[in-house]
Amino acid sequence: MTNTSSSSTKSPAVIADMAMSVDGFIATPDDQIDALTGWYFAGDTEVAPGLPFRTSGATAELLRDVMGRLGAIVGGRRYFDLANGWGGAHPTGAPVFIVTHSVPEGWENAAPSITFVTEGGIARAVELAKAAAGDKDVAIATPSTVRQCIDAGLLDEININIAPVLLGSGQRFFPGDDLETLGLSDPDVVVGTGVTHLRYRLKDRA
C-alpha cells in the first residue's frame, strides 16, 4: 500500500513524526532508539546524496517528501541537551525552536538557527516556527512537545513509523494517562522494509 495523498497540494501542517515500537514506545528508558531505526539501513535505495540512509524504495520516496517539506522544528530543552545542540545547527538544516525556561549558558548568541523560546510556551514556539517555515511543515520533535501541542489544539497530523519490535517499556509517543479522546482520519499507509509508515490527520483539522 502506498500513500495516496498529493504532496503537491498538501497545505503546511504541524506534524508529529516519530519511529515507534508496536507497543507504543519511541525510545528505551535510557533514550536508546537503535531497535526502532534499523529500517533506515534495510534497503538498497539511497534516500538523498550525502545521507547514509539506504531504505526500501517506498520508504525513500516518503522520506524525500518529508524532508522536502520540512520548514522548521519545535522541541523541548531535553531534546536540545541530549544532542548537545547539534554543534550549533540541526542536521536537517531546518531552524529549531526550543521551548525552555532559560537559555542554556554559553548559547546566548552561539547558534543563529536555534531559537530558545523562554516565554509563551508551546504556542509561541509553534507561532515562530510557522513564520520561519513559510509554506513548509513544522515538525514537533519530542513526546512532551507533542502532548503540549495536542492539549493546545495545535497539532494537525501524526506520522508513525512502526518498527516490528516490542520494547516492553520506555518513553511513550503520547505521555500521560489523561489524554483526551481525539478522532483521526483513516491513515495513508506506506509499507517499507522493516517499517510501516502511517499518516493520520486530526479529524477536526483535516
Side-chain angles (χ1 to χ4, degrees):
M1 300 178 67
T2 58
N3 191 318
T4 58
S5 65
S6 173
S7 61
S8 62
T9 59
K10 178 179 174 293
S11 300
V14 177
I15 299 173
D17 188 326
M18 298 185 202
M20 187 183 78
S21 66
V22 173
D23 52 345
F25 298 103
I26 57 89
T28 64
D30 59 347
D31 299 302
Q32 301 303 306
I33 62 172
D34 291 352
L36 304 175
T37 57
W39 52 275
Y40 277 105
F41 311 97
D44 56 9
T45 302
E46 182 182 57
V47 173
L51 293 180
F53 310 132
R54 299 188 74 86
T55 69
S56 68
T59 292
E61 182 179 357
L62 177 66
L63 291 179
R64 292 182 197 122
D65 180 59
V66 169
M67 291 187 296
R69 293 197 57 82
L70 178 62
I73 299 169
V74 174
R77 176 64 179 271
R78 190 165 180 267
Y79 176 60
F80 173 87
D81 288 344
L82 286 172
N84 294 315
W86 309 280
H90 195 276
T92 64
V96 181
F97 297 83
I98 299 297
V99 182
T100 181
H101 294 297
S102 61
V103 177
E105 185 177 354
W107 285 90
E108 291 81 358
N109 300 296
S113 65
I114 301 175
T115 300
F116 298 99
V117 183
T118 58
E119 296 182 358
I122 194 68
R124 179 59 175 161
V126 170
E127 178 184 17
L128 293 171
K130 282 184 172 181
D135 62 354
K136 293 188 175 183
D137 294 334
V138 172
I140 308 301
T142 61
S144 62
T145 48
V146 168
R147 178 59 196 270
Q148 290 173 56
C149 280
I150 290 175
D151 291 345
L154 297 172
L155 196 67
D156 298 309
E157 294 182 13
I158 297 171
N159 295 350
I160 305 175
N161 308 295
I162 300 179
V165 62
L166 298 171
L167 288 184
S169 64
Q171 301 176 40
R172 292 196 174 278
F173 198 153
F174 307 101
D177 297 323
D178 57 346
L179 184 66
E180 66 177 301
T181 300
L182 294 172
L184 305 176
S185 68
D186 289 334
D188 294 333
V189 182
V190 173
V191 178
T193 301
V195 64
T196 300
H197 309 279
L198 305 175
R199 174 187 166 212
Y200 297 92
R201 286 170 293 279
L202 274 69
K203 276 192 172 180
D204 59 340
R205 299 172 183 85

